[in-house]
Amino acid sequence: MVYNNFLNGSELKRIFAITPKWSKGTTIKDSHARVVDTYNITYKFDWLDKKVAELVKQRNKSFRYSIKSIEETKLLRYQPGGKYDWHQDVIWDNPQHRKFTYIIQLSNTNEYTGGDFQFRDADNIDLSKLRSQGSIIVFPSIMHHRITPLTQGTRYSIVGWVVGPQWT
């Protein structure tokens, strides 16, 4: 579920070389608070999409979900007070359902405090490596998860979703 050193130093530099045009704001949707800046990087890094797709394909061997493609990829910036309350990533009324979510850690663990990724009903999953720069987590999009409030520094990550036919 958590894969350490998914991105190496040169790959991280390629991502940090872009100049994001951040979409700022606090959104409240279905009582889930989200305070995070976003920048859409869908299809900006073909090499990253291929690398993620291969990992998701391997991860899916145990799930056997019907998957199609990466739907969307965003660069995220959490600053003090930033958070994302409990939520699922499946958008049930879309023609394609999000099957897998992936999050890539871009910041060093010592660059911020708070901002922890958590699952609601999965205390047995070891998430300690997820704060390591370059790590990735891949999980079913139906799992409830959150980012706790950031108290200091800045947390950068990438989030993306792999879609497939609707669940019935």
Side-chain angles (χ1 to χ4, degrees):
M1 193 163 276
V2 176
Y3 304 89
N4 217 4
N5 301 313
F6 178 73
L7 295 183
N8 63 39
S10 64
E11 292 168 327
L12 289 163
K13 285 180 185 177
R14 289 170 74 181
I15 293 167
F16 280 120
I18 65 171
T19 305
K21 294 179 180 147
W22 296 105
S23 295
K24 292 184 145 262
T26 301
T27 59
I28 306 292
K29 182 178 180 182
D30 301 331
S31 301
H32 300 297
R34 180 181 76 158
V35 183
V36 59
D37 301 332
T38 62
Y39 178 62
N40 192 331
I41 59 170
T42 305
Y43 309 122
K44 289 193 186 302
F45 298 104
D46 288 342
W47 61 269
L48 180 60
D49 294 342
K50 289 176 186 172
K51 192 170 185 172
V52 168
E54 184 57 36
L55 181 63
V56 170
K57 181 179 170 185
Q58 292 301 316
R59 180 80 176 120
N60 192 35
K61 286 181 179 178
S62 61
F63 288 94
R64 297 184 178 177
Y65 292 161
S66 178
I67 57 176
K68 182 179 175 189
S69 62
I70 294 175
E71 171 197 44
E72 186 176 28
T73 308
K74 291 186 177 184
L75 182 62
L76 304 179
R77 178 177 66 183
Y78 290 88
Q79 296 177 314
K83 66 177 183 168
Y84 204 144
D85 287 342
W86 293 116
H87 66 283
Q88 294 176 305
D89 289 336
V90 177
I91 302 173
W92 295 103
D93 57 354
N94 276 9
Q96 296 284 307
H97 281 168
R98 291 175 175 173
K99 302 292 179 89
F100 287 103
T101 299
Y102 59 91
I103 300 172
I104 303 171
Q105 176 71 10
L106 301 177
S107 299
N108 283 315
T109 188
N110 61 357
E111 293 176 346
Y112 65 94
T113 55
D116 293 315
F117 177 87
Q118 297 176 337
F119 285 119
R120 183 163 62 192
D121 300 314
D123 293 336
N124 60 334
I125 298 173
D126 180 13
L127 298 174
S128 61
K129 294 178 185 175
L130 188 55
R131 285 185 70 112
S132 299
Q133 188 176 38
S135 65
I136 186 172
I137 186 169
V138 179
F139 59 94
S141 298
I142 59 172
M143 293 182 74
H144 285 87
H145 58 283
R146 72 173 177 176
I147 300 292
T148 63
L150 196 85
T151 55
Q152 285 184 313
T154 304
R155 177 186 189 269
Y156 292 96
S157 59
I158 290 174
V159 65
W161 301 276
V162 175
V163 298
Q166 285 185 343
W167 275 308
T168 53

